[in-house]
Amino acid sequence: MTEELQTCDLTCSSTSSDPEEALKAVKSRIMECEQPIFSALGGGMKPQRAEGHSAVPNTCGGATSPTATTSDNESGIFSVESEQCVEHEAELDWFCGTEQKLICSHCAIVGSCHAHTVTPVATRVTAVRNQLVDVCEKMQLQALRIERFIEQTLTAKEQNLQASANRAREQVLAQVGAAREALEEEEQRLLEEVQREEERVEQCLLTQRAHWNQALSTLSQTRSRLVHTLTHTPDAQLVTSVQEIADRVEEAEGVGEPCDTNILNLNPNCSDSKLLRGLWAAALLLGPNAYGSSYLKFDERTVSPHLSLSEDFCTLTFLRKKPRQPQPYDPARFDHWPNALGSVSMSSGTHSWVVDVGQSAAFKVGVCYASLERKGSGNEARLGYNSESWVLSHYDGDYSFCHAGKKVPLQVVKKPQRIGLLLDWTTQTLMFYEPDSCAVLYSFTEQFSAPLLPACAVTHQSITILH
């Protein structure tokens, strides 16, 4: 839509050094044009023949007093008052594009704007007007799009908002209602199970109490008779009472010894619920502290010489060869098995952390007592092969839970890239899970007798504690 800016070639080809002669020569060339440059701002402008921009340098002096002459009166958009060039006292009827100012023809030919890009003011006015038209049209189209967005899109959104919000509310209420109903039923079932278990244990205790009270009474009577026989029976009669004494001794021995058994204790599994455990775990694993404390790192004093520890103390990398320079002796360091322990001791509350196992094909993650043996190649220092460590192990494509040398095979559908651990000290529960899906890999309850430390081992690639 914008017209191409028109320029005239005002460059003087004469080699004469006389400015007056050069000016006369150029003026004679200008008079040959269909539209003289001096009438560029006058009314009734004719089309230009020359369309190429000529290069002319520009440094025009400031403007003097304006005259009443204006150009482009028909449009009313842009007008230029006729002004005089201070240097040449000529009309400012040209525009220098290089220096963005009005100049006279003398400035363009022999003055400071010689070899700059210049155009007639009227042509420049037309170009600017066309640019303004383009801008106005674009703004009008943008305004139409905004009006259409307000009238159609926003109106439709407002109309659909209430219905969408109602559906969302109904979904929340339905899901919470279903969860509440399931929880209430599970609560009732568990309370009844605990009540039955409590009644069973009470009955066992009553039976045991009655039995051992009777045994105690029998034993006391037998002892009293034997003491009476010992203290009041004459020697001659005592010698002949051996059989009677033996019968009473046998009766006393038949009472037996009392022993404590698990049947006299409340079965902890009576309150166990996969539903509650899953909800409890999900609440912790999906909460803001799912990745545990940022203070949890590997304790460099425990890191085996078969492993290298990253500068942030979070990544263990297996070394195929031991470093040539041995590490200084430390009683806390594992000297044979590729193990390392965490820096945070856990003896209360709830703790969770995530280990990135990546593509490692051989690793162990879990917990252990701080008293775990650190030296030697025996099982005492091997994670999962003693009574002081509990780990999830991955080796040769198989996953298993290991403790005290016993393995529990685990069915893992998809190889996890990360493994999360959740320790609840109150319930003495340790859970291994897959963080992305929150799928529980293995969970168990143990009566931990001492504070626990995170424990890891790796014999392929690297593992990292995530924060």
Side-chain angles (χ1 to χ4, degrees):
M1 183 177 293
T2 304
E3 293 184 5
E4 221 180 278
L5 298 181
Q6 295 180 341
T7 61
C8 289
D9 184 8
L10 301 183
T11 306
C12 181
S13 58
S14 173
T15 58
S16 174
S17 58
D18 188 351
E20 294 295 334
E21 294 181 2
L23 181 60
K24 291 180 180 179
V26 173
K27 285 185 176 180
S28 64
R29 292 180 58 191
I30 293 174
M31 295 303 294
E32 296 174 358
C33 299
E34 289 187 11
Q35 181 188 352
I37 63 174
F38 300 106
S39 62
L41 296 180
M45 187 174 114
K46 296 181 181 180
Q48 298 291 315
R49 287 184 181 178
E51 297 182 356
H53 291 279
S54 64
V56 244
N58 173 351
T59 306
C60 184
T64 62
S65 61
T67 65
T69 306
T70 61
S71 65
D72 203 36
N73 292 329
E74 294 180 0
S75 68
I77 298 177
F78 188 94
S79 64
V80 177
E81 295 181 348
S82 179
E83 298 178 346
Q84 296 291 321
C85 175
V86 175
E87 182 179 357
H88 304 107
E89 297 184 354
E91 185 179 359
L92 299 177
D93 49 4
W94 284 80
F95 178 77
C96 176
T98 304
E99 297 191 8
Q100 295 291 305
K101 66 180 182 180
L102 294 174
I103 60 174
C104 68
S105 58
H106 296 76
C107 294
I109 298 170
V110 295
S112 59
C113 292
H114 175 69
H116 286 189
T117 301
V118 298
T119 55
V121 169
T123 303
R124 177 66 178 177
V125 168
T126 302
V128 173
R129 184 196 312 135
N130 290 337
Q131 291 176 356
L132 289 175
V133 171
D134 286 345
V135 170
C136 290
E137 287 185 352
K138 290 179 181 178
M139 294 174 66
Q140 183 179 7
L141 292 176
Q142 183 180 8
L144 291 175
R145 289 194 297 269
I146 293 174
E147 290 177 359
R148 189 181 301 113
F149 178 77
I150 294 174
E151 295 174 359
Q152 298 180 5
T153 305
L154 293 184
T155 302
K157 296 288 185 183
E158 292 171 351
Q159 294 173 350
N160 295 332
L161 174 61
Q162 190 64 39
S164 300
N166 289 336
R167 286 194 299 270
R169 293 189 187 95
E170 292 173 359
Q171 181 180 5
V172 170
L173 293 175
Q175 292 177 343
V176 172
R180 183 181 294 112
E181 182 179 355
L183 281 174
E184 290 175 352
E185 293 179 357
E186 185 70 0
E187 178 187 25
Q188 185 64 28
R189 184 189 71 81
L190 291 174
L191 292 178
E192 291 175 356
E193 182 66 25
V194 171
Q195 181 67 26
R196 285 193 295 269
E197 180 64 12
E198 182 184 21
E199 292 175 354
R200 181 196 67 79
V201 174
E202 284 181 348
Q203 187 60 42
C204 288
L205 292 175
L206 288 174
T207 302
Q208 288 285 312
R209 183 179 294 277
H211 170 76
W212 290 110
N213 281 335
Q214 181 62 37
L216 182 60
S217 176
T218 302
L219 189 63
S220 179
Q221 292 176 6
T222 302
R223 180 180 178 278
S224 296
R225 290 173 184 173
L226 290 175
V227 170
H228 183 273
T229 300
L230 177 64
T231 57
H232 295 84
T233 303
D235 292 346
Q237 187 180 352
L238 185 62
V239 173
T240 59
S241 302
V242 174
Q243 184 60 43
E244 181 184 357
I245 294 173
D247 292 341
R248 291 182 178 179
V249 171
E250 184 178 355
E251 181 182 359
E253 291 177 348
V255 171
E257 291 290 334
C259 62
D260 188 9
T261 62
N262 286 331
I263 63 173
L264 300 178
N265 299 324
L266 189 75
N267 184 3
N269 293 328
C270 70
S271 61
D272 184 46
S273 168
K274 290 184 178 180
L275 175 60
L276 291 182
R277 187 167 63 247
L279 290 175
W280 164 75
L284 291 174
L285 305 181
L286 299 178
N289 298 321
Y291 281 74
S293 170
S294 59
Y295 297 105
L296 176 57
K297 302 178 185 297
F298 288 112
D299 183 354
E300 62 176 334
R301 296 178 59 236
T302 68
V303 176
S304 164
H306 295 282
L307 305 174
S308 68
L309 182 62
S310 60
E311 293 183 358
D312 61 359
F313 302 100
C314 292
T315 299
L316 294 175
T317 302
F318 178 68
L319 302 175
R320 294 183 176 273
K321 297 181 180 180
K322 279 188 177 183
R324 294 182 178 179
Q325 183 176 359
Q327 295 177 335
Y329 176 82
D330 194 311
R333 190 183 311 282
F334 292 92
D335 63 356
H336 180 81
W337 298 107
N339 304 338
L341 304 182
S343 58
V344 176
S345 177
M346 301 168 289
S347 58
S348 63
T350 302
H351 305 266
S352 62
W353 64 100
V354 177
V355 179
D356 185 353
V357 297
Q359 299 300 319
S360 177
F363 62 83
K364 294 177 183 178
V365 293
V367 296
C368 72
Y369 292 140
S371 59
L372 181 69
E373 180 62 47
R374 314 298 173 87
K375 307 301 180 183
S377 59
N379 288 338
E380 296 80 7
R382 191 178 183 185
L383 294 180
Y385 282 80
N386 49 69
S387 60
E388 297 191 356
S389 59
W390 298 259
V391 295
L392 184 146
S393 174
H394 173 51
Y395 182 73
D396 198 21
D398 295 328
Y399 291 84
S400 60
F401 171 74
C402 302
H403 172 62
K406 297 179 180 180
K407 293 185 178 182
V408 179
L410 304 180
Q411 299 298 324
V412 178
V413 178
K414 180 182 177 182
K415 179 181 178 181
Q417 300 294 314
R418 298 178 296 168
I419 294 179
L421 294 90
L422 179 62
L423 173 66
D424 183 60
W425 192 266
T426 304
T427 61
Q428 299 281 277
T429 300
L430 179 63
M431 178 187 299
F432 300 90
Y433 65 94
E434 203 276 312
D436 293 332
S437 63
C438 286
V440 177
L441 303 176
Y442 189 76
S443 176
F444 71 95
T445 301
E446 181 76 30
Q447 295 301 316
F448 299 116
S449 59
L452 295 171
L453 292 171
C456 294
V458 59
T459 56
H460 179 251
Q461 295 187 0
S462 302
I463 60 174
T464 301
I465 295 177
L466 297 180
H467 295 138

